[in-house]
Amino acid sequence: DGPGGMKVLRDANELAKTEGRPASIPALQRGLKVANDVMDVSNVGYFGSELVKAQPNTENWGDTLAALRRAGRYDKYVLLDIARLADRTGSYSNGSDYMEMLQIGTNLGLPKEVLKTIDAGVAAGKLTKTDISVADAITQANARIKTDTAQNLLGGYDRDARLPTAKPATIVGAGDSFLSYGEPAKAEEFYKLAADKPGVDQGLVYTRMGIAPYDQGKYADAAASFGKVTGPRAPVAQVWAVQAGIKAKGG
C-alpha cells in the first residue's frame, strides 16, 4: 500500500498498455482506493482516468469523482466542474452529491443548473421536491432566473465582455453565465477571449473551455482544452478528457 504500492500498480498498468494487454480493473480500483486513502490527488487522477477508460460504468465514475472531491480538497469552483462531470456521466452517487451541487449552484448564482440537478435527482429517486432544502433551492433559482432576465444578464455580458477595456473577470463571468444558461457556443467564445489575459485563472478557463465544446458535441476540441490544464485542476481535467474521448468514439 501507500506510494510504493501505487508505483507498482502504475508500472504494471503502463506495461500492459505497451504490450497491448487489457488493463486489470481490480488493480486500477485498488490504486484508486489507495490514492484516495492517502489523499494523493494526482494518483487519484491517474487511476481514476485509467479505470473509467477501461470500464466506464456508473460505479467506477462515482468512485473516481468521490475520490477527486475528497483527495483534492478543492474549492467550490472546482467542485462545480466535478459535479458537472457527474451530471454528464449520470454518476451522482447519492442524495448528498445532488445537494452539494444545489448548494454550490445557489451560492454561485447558477439557477438553470440548480433546477436541472433537482430534476435529475428527483428522476433518480434521490431528491424530493417537498424536502425543505430542495424547495428552498427551487424558490431561489426561480427568483434568480427572474432577476437575470429582468436585468438582461446575458445581453449585458455579451456587450460588456467584448469591449477592449473589459476586465478578465468580466470576460470569464460572461463565459460562466452563458455556459450555465445552456449556451455553450457563446461560452466557448468568451473563454477563448479570456485565456490569454493577464491574471486569469488558466486552470479554470481551460477546464471550462473544454466543457463548452463538450456540450456542443465537439469532443476532440474539448479533449484538447482539457489537455492544457496544469496545476491543481489537472486531475479533474484528466478525467473530463477521458469522458470526451469516450464520447468521441460514440460512447
Side-chain angles (χ1 to χ4, degrees):
D1 285 359
M6 285 189 289
K7 186 179 184 319
V8 170
L9 291 167
R10 274 182 85 136
D11 290 349
N13 186 58
E14 291 301 316
L15 182 62
K17 269 200 241 181
T18 57
E19 293 179 351
R21 288 182 285 113
S24 161
I25 303 296
L28 294 175
Q29 289 171 329
R30 177 85 193 130
L32 179 63
K33 186 187 181 306
V34 174
N36 187 24
D37 287 346
V38 300
M39 308 281 275
D40 180 340
V41 73
S42 93
N43 268 311
V44 164
Y46 174 81
F47 287 109
S49 60
E50 291 292 310
L51 177 60
V52 292
K53 203 183 296 175
Q55 191 184 60
N57 62 24
T58 308
E59 189 182 344
N60 288 336
W61 272 113
D63 289 347
T64 296
L65 299 186
L68 277 176
R69 283 189 197 98
R70 180 177 179 273
R73 299 185 181 92
Y74 289 121
D75 64 21
K76 62 191 172 189
Y77 303 101
V78 187
L79 289 172
L80 169 64
D81 293 334
I82 296 174
R84 284 169 164 164
L85 184 51
D87 169 65
R88 304 312 189 264
T89 53
S91 59
Y92 281 114
S93 302
N94 51 45
S96 65
D97 288 348
Y98 288 101
M99 288 308 299
E100 180 180 70
M101 179 59 185
L102 297 196
Q103 284 160 359
I104 293 169
T106 302
N107 185 285
L108 294 176
L110 310 171
K112 266 305 218 339
E113 286 185 271
V114 167
L115 295 177
K116 186 183 171 196
T117 304
I118 291 168
D119 287 344
V122 170
K126 305 283 187 189
L127 296 180
T128 54
K129 287 188 177 178
T130 49
D131 178 280
I132 190 153
S133 46
V134 176
D136 185 43
I138 293 171
T139 304
Q140 288 193 58
N142 284 328
R144 179 66 188 242
I145 288 171
K146 210 172 163 181
T147 307
D148 288 353
T149 308
Q151 293 176 350
N152 189 19
L153 174 84
L154 295 181
Y157 263 136
D158 207 6
R159 180 191 65 237
D160 297 345
R162 292 178 194 284
L163 297 171
T165 52
K167 291 187 166 61
T170 303
I171 304 169
V172 174
D176 288 346
S177 292
F178 279 107
L179 183 65
S180 187
Y181 266 105
E183 293 195 37
K186 273 274 174 72
E188 185 183 3
E189 196 186 328
F190 287 115
Y191 290 133
K192 280 180 175 168
L193 209 53
D196 303 324
K197 301 285 181 196
V200 81
D201 180 345
Q202 286 199 315
L204 181 147
V205 169
Y206 280 120
T207 302
R208 294 183 184 169
M209 215 158 101
I211 298 171
Y214 178 93
D215 283 354
Q216 298 168 70
K218 301 191 310 190
Y219 302 118
D221 290 359
S225 285
F226 292 133
K228 291 178 182 170
V229 177
T230 57
R233 270 181 174 265
V236 177
Q238 194 176 5
V239 179
W240 259 105
V242 172
Q243 173 62 4
I246 291 168
K247 285 297 223 183
K249 294 190 183 89

